[in-house]
Amino acid sequence: MAYRFNDKLDFRLTTSEITPMRSGSFALPKKWSLTLKEFPETGMGYLVVTVSLKDERVFEQVLIDSGYVVRVRGLADVPFGGDEIVDIKPTHAKWDWTETP
């Protein structure tokens, strides 16, 4: 289990407490994990990326944390799977993860 300190450094939070996983979250296939290693992180252990799919849909703010697709900005669930991805590009666009879709 990964731990990170909160703002006040007075106790530890698990990664899942910082980045709650949504329905549909999944571990990236190895093909994409190797690609992501070449990108600089947006923050400690996570990336914000644009994901393009086989059906030509594009999601511009997708959060990948520790190798898992965990959030898509503005959506309650992750609406795609790893086998649908044709391209991933880093955007590093940050947003308030506590906002609700």
Side-chain angles (χ1 to χ4, degrees):
M1 182 179 303
Y3 288 94
R4 296 188 189 155
F5 287 100
N6 71 356
D7 302 343
K8 298 175 187 172
L9 300 176
D10 58 358
F11 65 92
R12 297 187 309 171
L13 299 173
T14 65
T15 303
S16 62
E17 290 173 307
I18 296 170
T19 312
M21 292 185 69
R22 300 296 177 113
S23 176
S25 297
F26 59 91
L28 277 172
K30 282 188 181 183
K31 169 188 175 184
W32 297 112
S33 296
L34 295 173
T35 300
L36 292 180
K37 285 183 179 181
E38 297 179 20
F39 301 152
E41 295 178 329
T42 302
M44 193 173 197
Y46 74 92
L47 286 164
V48 177
V49 300
T50 294
V51 173
S52 300
L53 305 179
K54 290 177 184 176
D55 65 6
E56 299 185 3
R57 290 183 293 161
V58 176
F59 296 92
E60 294 188 2
Q61 289 184 313
V62 177
L63 177 63
I64 299 175
D65 189 347
S66 304
Y68 287 83
V69 173
V70 294
R71 305 266 317 254
V72 177
R73 186 173 189 181
L75 300 176
D77 302 316
V78 178
F80 58 87
D83 59 336
E84 298 175 75
I85 300 171
V86 294
D87 193 27
I88 297 177
K89 293 189 175 160
T91 63
H92 305 298
K94 297 182 180 182
W95 80 88
D96 180 1
W97 298 338
T98 62
E99 71 183 35
T100 54

